[in-house]
Amino acid sequence: EFLENPDAIDEVYGYSVVHEEQPFIWEWYHVLLAFYALLCLFFGIRYFGWAYDIQQSKDDYYDKYHRLDKLNFGCLQVLFPLPMLFFAAMVKKRLQEYRYAPRHSKINGKLLVLKDEWKENAFLEEAQILEEKLNSVRYDVWVVDDRSDVMILEYEGPNGRKYSDCKECGYKTFGKKKSTVTKRPTYDDKGLRTDHYECKNCNYREEKEVVLDVISRPSESSSSSGSSWSSSSSSSSSSSSSFGGGSSGGGGAGVSW
């Protein structure tokens, strides 16, 4: 009977439910997310713009490498991981392209061939080989097959920040050898530490004094709770002083107390 009634069929299929859409309400976290997205977009466009300018410049590959390598991300990789991590991966890939791109001699236009780490030593000085052993500097040696031109390119090594250029010989083999505490800091007085620097190439030496901050006093709660073991601490202090005398006699110790 229901199927035979056309009016009932039209009523069933013609019935529709109207849903009212709720208007979007901006919450405080929506504003923060939008602001964060704008910052990501800003820094992404900024760094990509710098990389594009370097790519389109007429500098040679060596200059492009160092210009791109100087772009410092700092804490941006942590604060804005989405664009910065992608950009860091792109920079790493592009640095490899700049460093190992084919090169031609500026003297005769012939193709230069990159020597491996063993064969390049024949073209380096002893001090330069020492820099590579210290990982303060990495050298790439490009040579024409007939040795009519040799090009040596310098790059910062993994330990480049541990060493600096020596005042005497000029090579990046000057670094800290050891540190010696000449005056221990107390609660009231500052201490002194002497840092000993030495050049691995020419043995040039230099000393620098560093002021140590005073020791912070313990809080009242910790001092009251620690009164029970204060006597045992003083006895261990005397034993540590005798140990300190033995440490200063040893030449291999990095820090003498």
Side-chain angles (χ1 to χ4, degrees):
E1 182 182 357
F2 172 76
L3 296 177
E4 294 177 355
N5 189 352
D7 295 334
I9 296 175
D10 293 338
E11 183 179 357
V12 171
Y13 285 99
Y15 180 75
S16 61
V17 179
V18 179
H19 297 278
E20 295 184 359
E21 295 184 358
Q22 298 294 331
F24 180 77
I25 301 176
W26 282 85
E27 301 289 347
W28 62 270
Y29 54 86
H30 293 149
V31 178
L32 289 179
L33 289 176
F35 181 70
Y36 178 79
L38 289 176
L39 286 179
C40 290
L41 183 63
F42 169 76
F43 285 111
I45 295 176
R46 185 181 182 184
Y47 277 92
F48 277 102
W50 285 342
Y52 180 79
D53 290 340
I54 295 174
Q55 179 73 13
Q56 298 299 320
S57 66
K58 296 182 179 180
D59 298 335
D60 58 18
Y61 290 125
Y62 184 72
D63 293 333
K64 287 182 179 180
Y65 179 94
H66 285 285
R67 286 181 58 189
L68 187 61
D69 190 43
K70 287 181 180 179
L71 292 181
N72 188 12
F73 305 133
C75 61
L76 293 179
Q77 289 189 0
V78 180
L79 297 177
F80 308 101
L82 182 60
M84 289 295 103
L85 291 179
F86 176 77
F87 183 76
M90 186 202 71
V91 167
K92 183 179 180 180
K93 180 181 179 181
R94 192 162 293 180
L95 287 175
Q96 295 293 319
E97 294 176 356
Y98 291 157
R99 182 170 179 176
Y100 300 110
R103 287 174 166 82
H104 293 80
S105 172
K106 295 181 180 180
I107 298 177
N108 50 35
K110 294 182 179 180
L111 181 65
L112 292 164
V113 179
L114 179 63
K115 298 295 182 180
D116 57 31
E117 294 185 0
W118 296 103
K119 294 181 180 179
E120 71 179 11
N121 291 340
F123 302 91
L124 297 176
E125 301 176 2
E126 292 184 4
Q128 292 175 327
I129 297 176
L130 178 60
E131 286 178 325
E132 287 207 323
K133 289 181 179 179
L134 298 175
N135 283 326
S136 61
V137 178
R138 303 299 301 174
Y139 288 102
D140 286 351
V141 180
W142 297 79
V143 185
V144 180
D145 287 336
D146 57 4
R147 296 197 176 187
S148 59
D149 188 17
V150 177
M151 181 171 59
I152 300 177
L153 302 179
E154 178 181 341
Y155 300 91
E156 184 177 6
N159 295 333
R161 296 185 178 181
K162 295 182 180 180
Y163 295 90
S164 59
D165 295 338
C166 179
K167 297 179 180 179
E168 293 295 324
C169 63
Y171 292 97
K172 201 170 185 179
T173 53
F174 184 76
K176 183 188 291 187
K177 183 179 180 180
K178 64 177 181 178
S179 297
T180 304
V181 176
T182 55
K183 180 183 177 183
R184 298 186 65 179
T186 61
Y187 294 131
D188 300 319
D189 297 328
K190 295 183 177 181
L192 286 176
R193 187 188 73 217
T194 303
D195 293 337
H196 303 269
Y197 295 86
E198 182 180 6
C199 177
K200 301 291 186 180
N201 181 48
C202 65
N203 296 326
Y204 170 75
R205 293 180 176 86
E206 190 174 307
E207 295 181 356
K208 297 180 181 179
E209 284 192 348
V210 180
V211 179
L212 303 177
D213 293 334
V214 296
I215 302 176
S216 58
R217 295 181 180 274
S219 60
E220 294 181 358
S221 58
S222 61
S223 61
S224 60
S225 61
S227 59
S228 59
W229 49 265
S230 60
S231 59
S232 61
S233 175
S234 61
S235 62
S236 63
S237 174
S238 62
S239 63
S240 65
S241 64
S242 62
F243 173 78
S247 176
S248 62
V255 180
S256 302
W257 294 92

